[in-house]
Amino acid sequence: MKKLFRTLLLAAVALPIVFASCEKDKNADETTDAIRVAAAVDACSELEAYFKQVSTLISDESPSDDQCKTILAGYVDDVVIPTYKSLAEAALDMRTANEALKTDATTANIGKAADAWMTARIFWEKSEAFLFGPVGEDAFDIDAHIDSWPLERGEIDNVLNNDASGLTGESAWELDAEVIGFHTTEYLLFRDGHARPSLTGAEVKYLTAATDALIWDCALAYVAWAGENNVSTAIKSAFEANSAVVNAFNDNATYQDFGNKMKNATGKYNGNFAAALAEISDGAADIAGEVGETKIASPYETKKVEEVESWYSWHSLDDYQNNIISIKNAYYGGLDLNAPKTNSLSAYVASKNAQLDSNIKAKITDCINKIAAIGEGGKSFYEVVRDK
């Protein structure tokens, strides 16, 4: 798939341009977009391959349990748990913004709600290098519940037209993933990259209920990783407000207090510290591949704007860059660092294969830059796909 996509793009670049001047400009833009998209897809593919090499390195080198423990402790305590803490807190801020909307849905208050959505969205995208464990499909399936797209617009509109008055957070949490989560709340708040100027009463009701459902998913991710007794009173109260969420948590002991289980290679890891360590590189490889193939290549190749993630807010390219930042954080062993920590996966890889470590660090920067370049001139990815 990757090779075919690059071949098609390069073939498009090689076609002669023989149209009138306005058509020449349009074709030149399309050709430039194709080059930039292909470059970003290639960079993500290369980063994915590097992290697969890391997983192989871990398997071949069999690091000691003590080495693994040190890296895992830094990863869990300094990357995963702080990210989910910030996400859960940001989701609560969305609720606060929505309370103001229920009282007075002014343009200013809608803008504040949109800003709160954006903050939470950033933290979620910076968590996508660790979409295993509690958030994965084998556990609570939070990823699918919180971040499915494309949306089922017909079902959303049906709720708005008929059932919004009776919608609650509890009932919203039980709905299909394609009618709740980040992208439904985005749809209610944004159009064409901007906060909407007004919302109907039904839209505010839907937004409030869908946000409560999102809060429970964010709180569940945090509680599952950190442990129920290691979160703030506000987060614990939000988590416990929905008995269905609490029951789902209580019914799956394997993924309770998962951070400690990963650090100590207990539970699903069954004492295999190297397997726990490889989850870091596997998670990084998975999201690098998803950004390149699913998030960028697929909608561009098919020209299906509805497959562009976060296209109502025009936040797609920021999402993709934040996904790569999540990889950097996981690899460096901390948040927003300029250099890896001594107890990081990067430090371990450098001690075994300095060139691979150097390649990964350079490719992380390359991916971020090449994704950003797709939007050169202020274009959103939605516009790039739409105008292909």
Side-chain angles (χ1 to χ4, degrees), residues 324 328 332 360-370:
I324 305 303
K328 179 181 177 182
Y332 279 40
I360 290 172
K361 288 186 284 192
K363 191 53 61 178
I364 286 170
T365 300
D366 188 44
C367 279
I368 292 170
N369 291 341
K370 284 179 176 172

Side-chain angles (χ1 to χ4, degrees), residues 14 54 62 65 99 140 159 181 192 206 208 238 262 268 273 309 336 342 346 352 359:
V54 173
S62 299
D65 289 354
E99 290 299 316
F140 304 115
V159 173
D192 298 326
Y206 198 155
T208 301
M262 187 176 191
K268 61 173 278 192
F273 280 91
E309 191 176 17
D336 304 318
T342 56
S346 171
K352 300 297 181 180
N359 289 344

Side-chain angles (χ1 to χ4, degrees), residues 117-332:
W117 179 92
M118 195 70 71
T119 299
R121 181 67 184 169
I122 289 168
F123 287 122
W124 170 254
E125 292 303 304
K126 287 184 176 180
S127 78
E128 293 210 3
F130 29 97
L131 291 181
F132 54 84
V135 301
E137 63 183 355
D138 294 331
F140 304 115
D141 207 16
I142 295 169
D143 177 32
H145 205 233
I146 207 173
D147 202 28
S148 289
W149 89 99
L151 297 176
E152 291 291 346
R153 282 278 304 279
E155 292 184 27
I156 292 171
D157 291 340
N158 183 59
V159 173
L160 288 171
N161 293 332
N162 299 292
D163 304 318
S165 61
L167 193 64
T168 65
E170 288 84 357
S171 60
W173 195 73
E174 301 290 347
L175 293 175
D176 291 339
E178 291 79 15
V179 297
I180 54 174
F182 270 111
H183 296 298
T184 294
T185 50
E186 176 198 16
Y187 168 66
L188 293 167
L189 285 167
F190 293 90
R191 290 293 186 276
D192 298 326
H194 302 285
R196 297 174 64 195
S198 62
L199 297 179
T200 67
E203 287 170 335
V204 172
K205 183 71 175 177
Y206 198 155
L207 175 66
T208 301
T211 296
D212 281 346
L214 188 148
I215 287 168
W216 286 318
D217 282 325
C218 295
L220 178 58
Y222 180 31
V223 168
W225 269 94
E228 193 171 2
N229 296 320
N230 296 316
V231 302
S232 69
T233 300
I235 298 298
K236 189 171 182 179
S237 296
F239 168 72
E240 292 176 342
N242 186 339
S243 60
V245 177
V246 175
N247 290 338
F249 177 74
N250 289 336
D251 288 343
N252 200 334
T254 300
Y255 293 98
Q256 296 171 16
D257 197 15
F258 189 77
N260 278 328
K261 287 183 171 70
M262 187 176 191
K263 287 191 291 184
N264 295 293
T266 57
K268 61 173 278 192
Y269 299 112
N270 198 28
N272 189 335
F273 280 91
L277 187 64
E279 287 262 50
I280 304 177
S281 51
D282 290 344
D286 287 346
I287 191 59
E290 182 179 338
V291 170
E293 289 300 320
T294 304
K295 298 189 177 188
I296 299 177
S298 179
Y300 185 78
E301 183 179 5
T302 61
K303 198 181 175 181
K304 292 182 178 179
V305 294
E306 68 273 13
E307 292 185 2
V308 175
E309 191 176 17
S310 300
W311 66 274
Y312 299 104
S313 61
W314 288 7
H315 200 248
S316 310
L317 296 176
D318 297 281
D319 277 3
Y320 310 157
Q321 290 171 80
N322 285 326
N323 289 161
I324 305 303
I325 290 171
S326 77
I327 293 173
K328 179 181 177 182
N329 291 342
Y331 191 59
Y332 279 40

